[in-house]
Amino acid sequence: MKKESIAIDLDDVLAAHVEAFIQFSNAQFGTNLTIDDYDDHFANIWNVEQKEIERRSKLFHVPNNYAELEVKEESKEALRRLNSEYNLFIVTARGSGLVEISFDWVNRYYPGIFKGIHFVPSWGYEKTKTKAD
């Protein structure tokens, strides 16, 4: 019997992305944000001009910041159980500059669990499709 497949998001399911973003913003820009302040639309968080949003965003979305993301430990056991019955794939909206570090991170913290990682250019200057596509 062929296993069905399940797509799993990487950031904030496997990796503590929001926590790292909040910590980065507070340290770099003097904000006083909490997890509850997070919004995918950075204009709602920072309340600055679009050019400044783009500048700050580029500073955060670099391999070094993603290499050290903490693991969402609560996902590990669930994924191990799912892996016995399903083919698991990661679908992520991480940009092209984060491909290599993403593979490294997943292989370090979730070895042997995923059949592959699909990168979807779904935000910013690379936006061409959605994760659902």
Side-chain angles (χ1 to χ4, degrees), residues 66-88:
Y66 282 77
E68 301 305 321
L69 289 179
E70 291 184 24
V71 174
K72 293 282 196 173
E73 291 292 337
E74 60 273 20
S75 68
K76 281 189 164 183
E77 182 56 34
L79 290 170
R80 283 189 188 102
R81 286 187 306 216
L82 286 171
N83 191 35
S84 67
E85 296 184 38
Y86 299 93
N87 291 316
L88 303 180

PDB file of all heavy atoms in Angstrom, residues 66-88:
ATOM      1  N   TYR A  66      19.020  32.074  10.407  1.00  0.00           N
ATOM      2  CA  TYR A  66      18.243  30.849  10.276  1.00  0.00           C
ATOM      3  C   TYR A  66      19.005  29.609  10.725  1.00  0.00           C
ATOM      4  O   TYR A  66      18.404  28.611  11.099  1.00  0.00           O
ATOM      5  CB  TYR A  66      17.754  30.690   8.833  1.00  0.00           C
ATOM      6  CG  TYR A  66      16.562  31.576   8.556  1.00  0.00           C
ATOM      7  CD1 TYR A  66      16.714  32.940   8.337  1.00  0.00           C
ATOM      8  CD2 TYR A  66      15.278  31.054   8.538  1.00  0.00           C
ATOM      9  CE1 TYR A  66      15.632  33.755   8.106  1.00  0.00           C
ATOM     10  CE2 TYR A  66      14.183  31.864   8.298  1.00  0.00           C
ATOM     11  CZ  TYR A  66      14.376  33.215   8.091  1.00  0.00           C
ATOM     12  OH  TYR A  66      13.285  34.028   7.868  1.00  0.00           O
ATOM     13  N   ALA A  67      20.311  29.667  10.719  1.00  0.00           N
ATOM     14  CA  ALA A  67      21.123  28.518  11.110  1.00  0.00           C
ATOM     15  C   ALA A  67      20.945  28.159  12.576  1.00  0.00           C
ATOM     16  O   ALA A  67      21.077  26.999  12.958  1.00  0.00           O
ATOM     17  CB  ALA A  67      22.600  28.806  10.826  1.00  0.00           C
ATOM     18  N   GLU A  68      20.637  29.142  13.390  1.00  0.00           N
ATOM     19  CA  GLU A  68      20.550  28.922  14.834  1.00  0.00           C
ATOM     20  C   GLU A  68      19.128  28.954  15.373  1.00  0.00           C
ATOM     21  O   GLU A  68      18.934  29.060  16.578  1.00  0.00           O
ATOM     22  CB  GLU A  68      21.407  29.964  15.555  1.00  0.00           C
ATOM     23  CG  GLU A  68      22.872  29.935  15.153  1.00  0.00           C
ATOM     24  CD  GLU A  68      23.522  28.563  15.317  1.00  0.00           C
ATOM     25  OE1 GLU A  68      23.231  27.864  16.309  1.00  0.00           O
ATOM     26  OE2 GLU A  68      24.303  28.173  14.429  1.00  0.00           O
ATOM     27  N   LEU A  69      18.122  28.842  14.508  1.00  0.00           N
ATOM     28  CA  LEU A  69      16.748  28.822  15.003  1.00  0.00           C
ATOM     29  C   LEU A  69      16.565  27.644  15.948  1.00  0.00           C
ATOM     30  O   LEU A  69      17.052  26.541  15.700  1.00  0.00           O
ATOM     31  CB  LEU A  69      15.753  28.704  13.852  1.00  0.00           C
ATOM     32  CG  LEU A  69      15.597  29.927  12.952  1.00  0.00           C
ATOM     33  CD1 LEU A  69      14.581  29.631  11.854  1.00  0.00           C
ATOM     34  CD2 LEU A  69      15.199  31.155  13.740  1.00  0.00           C
ATOM     35  N   GLU A  70      15.846  27.892  17.021  1.00  0.00           N
ATOM     36  CA  GLU A  70      15.575  26.826  17.972  1.00  0.00           C
ATOM     37  C   GLU A  70      14.544  25.862  17.388  1.00  0.00           C
ATOM     38  O   GLU A  70      13.731  26.235  16.553  1.00  0.00           O
ATOM     39  CB  GLU A  70      15.063  27.403  19.290  1.00  0.00           C
ATOM     40  CG  GLU A  70      16.138  28.173  20.032  1.00  0.00           C
ATOM     41  CD  GLU A  70      15.676  28.669  21.382  1.00  0.00           C
ATOM     42  OE1 GLU A  70      14.727  28.075  21.957  1.00  0.00           O
ATOM     43  OE2 GLU A  70      16.262  29.639  21.861  1.00  0.00           O
ATOM     44  N   VAL A  71      14.592  24.637  17.851  1.00  0.00           N
ATOM     45  CA  VAL A  71      13.677  23.584  17.407  1.00  0.00           C
ATOM     46  C   VAL A  71      12.389  23.661  18.217  1.00  0.00           C
ATOM     47  O   VAL A  71      12.424  23.871  19.430  1.00  0.00           O
ATOM     48  CB  VAL A  71      14.336  22.206  17.605  1.00  0.00           C
ATOM     49  CG1 VAL A  71      13.372  21.084  17.296  1.00  0.00           C
ATOM     50  CG2 VAL A  71      15.581  22.105  16.765  1.00  0.00           C
ATOM     51  N   LYS A  72      11.270  23.457  17.552  1.00  0.00           N
ATOM     52  CA  LYS A  72       9.981  23.313  18.239  1.00  0.00           C
ATOM     53  C   LYS A  72       9.914  21.856  18.701  1.00  0.00           C
ATOM     54  O   LYS A  72       9.493  20.975  17.970  1.00  0.00           O
ATOM     55  CB  LYS A  72       8.823  23.638  17.293  1.00  0.00           C
ATOM     56  CG  LYS A  72       8.747  25.077  16.861  1.00  0.00           C
ATOM     57  CD  LYS A  72       8.140  25.884  17.970  1.00  0.00           C
ATOM     58  CE  LYS A  72       7.695  27.241  17.448  1.00  0.00           C
ATOM     59  NZ  LYS A  72       6.953  27.978  18.453  1.00  0.00           N
ATOM     60  N   GLU A  73      10.395  21.623  19.894  1.00  0.00           N
ATOM     61  CA  GLU A  73      10.549  20.262  20.409  1.00  0.00           C
ATOM     62  C   GLU A  73       9.239  19.478  20.393  1.00  0.00           C
ATOM     63  O   GLU A  73       9.246  18.266  20.167  1.00  0.00           O
ATOM     64  CB  GLU A  73      11.131  20.284  21.827  1.00  0.00           C
ATOM     65  CG  GLU A  73      12.567  20.743  21.892  1.00  0.00           C
ATOM     66  CD  GLU A  73      13.550  19.774  21.252  1.00  0.00           C
ATOM     67  OE1 GLU A  73      13.250  18.564  21.133  1.00  0.00           O
ATOM     68  OE2 GLU A  73      14.641  20.237  20.865  1.00  0.00           O
ATOM     69  N   GLU A  74       8.134  20.162  20.612  1.00  0.00           N
ATOM     70  CA  GLU A  74       6.853  19.463  20.671  1.00  0.00           C
ATOM     71  C   GLU A  74       6.474  18.825  19.336  1.00  0.00           C
ATOM     72  O   GLU A  74       5.655  17.914  19.283  1.00  0.00           O
ATOM     73  CB  GLU A  74       5.736  20.400  21.157  1.00  0.00           C
ATOM     74  CG  GLU A  74       5.505  21.623  20.290  1.00  0.00           C
ATOM     75  CD  GLU A  74       6.373  22.830  20.631  1.00  0.00           C
ATOM     76  OE1 GLU A  74       7.428  22.676  21.284  1.00  0.00           O
ATOM     77  OE2 GLU A  74       5.993  23.948  20.228  1.00  0.00           O
ATOM     78  N   SER A  75       7.102  19.265  18.248  1.00  0.00           N
ATOM     79  CA  SER A  75       6.793  18.684  16.941  1.00  0.00           C
ATOM     80  C   SER A  75       7.516  17.360  16.697  1.00  0.00           C
ATOM     81  O   SER A  75       7.060  16.540  15.903  1.00  0.00           O
ATOM     82  CB  SER A  75       7.149  19.677  15.828  1.00  0.00           C
ATOM     83  OG  SER A  75       8.552  19.850  15.743  1.00  0.00           O
ATOM     84  N   LYS A  76       8.618  17.134  17.370  1.00  0.00           N
ATOM     85  CA  LYS A  76       9.458  15.967  17.066  1.00  0.00           C
ATOM     86  C   LYS A  76       8.736  14.634  17.247  1.00  0.00           C
ATOM     87  O   LYS A  76       8.764  13.778  16.369  1.00  0.00           O
ATOM     88  CB  LYS A  76      10.738  15.993  17.896  1.00  0.00           C
ATOM     89  CG  LYS A  76      11.772  16.927  17.351  1.00  0.00           C
ATOM     90  CD  LYS A  76      13.079  16.743  18.079  1.00  0.00           C
ATOM     91  CE  LYS A  76      14.191  17.389  17.288  1.00  0.00           C
ATOM     92  NZ  LYS A  76      15.482  17.172  17.923  1.00  0.00           N
ATOM     93  N   GLU A  77       8.096  14.427  18.373  1.00  0.00           N
ATOM     94  CA  GLU A  77       7.435  13.146  18.624  1.00  0.00           C
ATOM     95  C   GLU A  77       6.260  12.945  17.669  1.00  0.00           C
ATOM     96  O   GLU A  77       6.071  11.843  17.139  1.00  0.00           O
ATOM     97  CB  GLU A  77       6.966  13.042  20.076  1.00  0.00           C
ATOM     98  CG  GLU A  77       6.316  11.709  20.411  1.00  0.00           C
ATOM     99  CD  GLU A  77       7.203  10.505  20.116  1.00  0.00           C
ATOM    100  OE1 GLU A  77       8.434  10.598  20.260  1.00  0.00           O
ATOM    101  OE2 GLU A  77       6.655   9.458  19.725  1.00  0.00           O
ATOM    102  N   ALA A  78       5.493  13.978  17.433  1.00  0.00           N
ATOM    103  CA  ALA A  78       4.365  13.863  16.496  1.00  0.00           C
ATOM    104  C   ALA A  78       4.855  13.493  15.101  1.00  0.00           C
ATOM    105  O   ALA A  78       4.257  12.646  14.428  1.00  0.00           O
ATOM    106  CB  ALA A  78       3.574  15.167  16.454  1.00  0.00           C
ATOM    107  N   LEU A  79       5.943  14.094  14.671  1.00  0.00           N
ATOM    108  CA  LEU A  79       6.479  13.798  13.345  1.00  0.00           C
ATOM    109  C   LEU A  79       7.031  12.380  13.263  1.00  0.00           C
ATOM    110  O   LEU A  79       6.888  11.708  12.234  1.00  0.00           O
ATOM    111  CB  LEU A  79       7.559  14.806  12.974  1.00  0.00           C
ATOM    112  CG  LEU A  79       7.033  16.210  12.689  1.00  0.00           C
ATOM    113  CD1 LEU A  79       8.175  17.195  12.580  1.00  0.00           C
ATOM    114  CD2 LEU A  79       6.171  16.225  11.442  1.00  0.00           C
ATOM    115  N   ARG A  80       7.636  11.911  14.308  1.00  0.00           N
ATOM    116  CA  ARG A  80       8.130  10.535  14.308  1.00  0.00           C
ATOM    117  C   ARG A  80       6.975   9.547  14.135  1.00  0.00           C
ATOM    118  O   ARG A  80       7.072   8.567  13.399  1.00  0.00           O
ATOM    119  CB  ARG A  80       8.899  10.244  15.596  1.00  0.00           C
ATOM    120  CG  ARG A  80      10.284  10.834  15.594  1.00  0.00           C
ATOM    121  CD  ARG A  80      11.110  10.345  16.790  1.00  0.00           C
ATOM    122  NE  ARG A  80      12.345  11.080  16.826  1.00  0.00           N
ATOM    123  CZ  ARG A  80      12.623  12.093  17.650  1.00  0.00           C
ATOM    124  NH1 ARG A  80      11.739  12.472  18.539  1.00  0.00           N
ATOM    125  NH2 ARG A  80      13.776  12.721  17.609  1.00  0.00           N
ATOM    126  N   ARG A  81       5.858   9.806  14.822  1.00  0.00           N
ATOM    127  CA  ARG A  81       4.688   8.924  14.684  1.00  0.00           C
ATOM    128  C   ARG A  81       4.094   9.028  13.285  1.00  0.00           C
ATOM    129  O   ARG A  81       3.761   8.009  12.676  1.00  0.00           O
ATOM    130  CB  ARG A  81       3.644   9.271  15.740  1.00  0.00           C
ATOM    131  CG  ARG A  81       4.044   8.803  17.133  1.00  0.00           C
ATOM    132  CD  ARG A  81       2.934   9.019  18.096  1.00  0.00           C
ATOM    133  NE  ARG A  81       2.541  10.431  18.025  1.00  0.00           N
ATOM    134  CZ  ARG A  81       2.157  11.164  19.037  1.00  0.00           C
ATOM    135  NH1 ARG A  81       2.051  10.641  20.215  1.00  0.00           N
ATOM    136  NH2 ARG A  81       1.852  12.422  18.896  1.00  0.00           N
ATOM    137  N   LEU A  82       3.947  10.248  12.778  1.00  0.00           N
ATOM    138  CA  LEU A  82       3.396  10.433  11.428  1.00  0.00           C
ATOM    139  C   LEU A  82       4.284   9.789  10.374  1.00  0.00           C
ATOM    140  O   LEU A  82       3.795   9.233   9.386  1.00  0.00           O
ATOM    141  CB  LEU A  82       3.220  11.919  11.120  1.00  0.00           C
ATOM    142  CG  LEU A  82       2.070  12.623  11.812  1.00  0.00           C
ATOM    143  CD1 LEU A  82       2.165  14.129  11.590  1.00  0.00           C
ATOM    144  CD2 LEU A  82       0.735  12.087  11.316  1.00  0.00           C
ATOM    145  N   ASN A  83       5.591   9.872  10.578  1.00  0.00           N
ATOM    146  CA  ASN A  83       6.552   9.351   9.607  1.00  0.00           C
ATOM    147  C   ASN A  83       6.390   7.847   9.385  1.00  0.00           C
ATOM    148  O   ASN A  83       6.699   7.332   8.314  1.00  0.00           O
ATOM    149  CB  ASN A  83       7.977   9.676  10.050  1.00  0.00           C
ATOM    150  CG  ASN A  83       8.993   9.404   8.974  1.00  0.00           C
ATOM    151  OD1 ASN A  83       8.735   9.592   7.798  1.00  0.00           O
ATOM    152  ND2 ASN A  83      10.159   8.957   9.382  1.00  0.00           N
ATOM    153  N   SER A  84       5.884   7.136  10.369  1.00  0.00           N
ATOM    154  CA  SER A  84       5.710   5.693  10.206  1.00  0.00           C
ATOM    155  C   SER A  84       4.548   5.357   9.280  1.00  0.00           C
ATOM    156  O   SER A  84       4.506   4.271   8.710  1.00  0.00           O
ATOM    157  CB  SER A  84       5.516   5.023  11.570  1.00  0.00           C
ATOM    158  OG  SER A  84       4.291   5.429  12.141  1.00  0.00           O
ATOM    159  N   GLU A  85       3.621   6.291   9.102  1.00  0.00           N
ATOM    160  CA  GLU A  85       2.444   6.021   8.279  1.00  0.00           C
ATOM    161  C   GLU A  85       2.328   6.888   7.031  1.00  0.00           C
ATOM    162  O   GLU A  85       1.530   6.573   6.139  1.00  0.00           O
ATOM    163  CB  GLU A  85       1.187   6.195   9.121  1.00  0.00           C
ATOM    164  CG  GLU A  85       1.098   5.202  10.259  1.00  0.00           C
ATOM    165  CD  GLU A  85      -0.194   5.325  11.034  1.00  0.00           C
ATOM    166  OE1 GLU A  85      -1.238   5.568  10.403  1.00  0.00           O
ATOM    167  OE2 GLU A  85      -0.142   5.194  12.268  1.00  0.00           O
ATOM    168  N   TYR A  86       3.093   7.970   6.959  1.00  0.00           N
ATOM    169  CA  TYR A  86       2.969   8.919   5.850  1.00  0.00           C
ATOM    170  C   TYR A  86       4.345   9.309   5.320  1.00  0.00           C
ATOM    171  O   TYR A  86       5.334   9.232   6.038  1.00  0.00           O
ATOM    172  CB  TYR A  86       2.264  10.200   6.316  1.00  0.00           C
ATOM    173  CG  TYR A  86       0.867   9.970   6.814  1.00  0.00           C
ATOM    174  CD1 TYR A  86       0.622   9.750   8.165  1.00  0.00           C
ATOM    175  CD2 TYR A  86      -0.216   9.981   5.933  1.00  0.00           C
ATOM    176  CE1 TYR A  86      -0.672   9.542   8.630  1.00  0.00           C
ATOM    177  CE2 TYR A  86      -1.508   9.776   6.394  1.00  0.00           C
ATOM    178  CZ  TYR A  86      -1.727   9.548   7.744  1.00  0.00           C
ATOM    179  OH  TYR A  86      -3.004   9.341   8.194  1.00  0.00           O
ATOM    180  N   ASN A  87       4.356   9.771   4.092  1.00  0.00           N
ATOM    181  CA  ASN A  87       5.539  10.426   3.540  1.00  0.00           C
ATOM    182  C   ASN A  87       5.435  11.895   3.917  1.00  0.00           C
ATOM    183  O   ASN A  87       4.453  12.553   3.572  1.00  0.00           O
ATOM    184  CB  ASN A  87       5.588  10.285   2.013  1.00  0.00           C
ATOM    185  CG  ASN A  87       5.862   8.868   1.586  1.00  0.00           C
ATOM    186  OD1 ASN A  87       6.714   8.202   2.145  1.00  0.00           O
ATOM    187  ND2 ASN A  87       5.131   8.409   0.586  1.00  0.00           N
ATOM    188  N   LEU A  88       6.427  12.396   4.608  1.00  0.00           N
ATOM    189  CA  LEU A  88       6.409  13.780   5.073  1.00  0.00           C
ATOM    190  C   LEU A  88       7.329  14.640   4.216  1.00  0.00           C
ATOM    191  O   LEU A  88       8.468  14.262   3.936  1.00  0.00           O
ATOM    192  CB  LEU A  88       6.847  13.853   6.536  1.00  0.00           C
ATOM    193  CG  LEU A  88       6.032  13.015   7.523  1.00  0.00           C
ATOM    194  CD1 LEU A  88       6.581  13.183   8.927  1.00  0.00           C
ATOM    195  CD2 LEU A  88       4.556  13.392   7.473  1.00  0.00           C
TER     196      LEU A  88
END
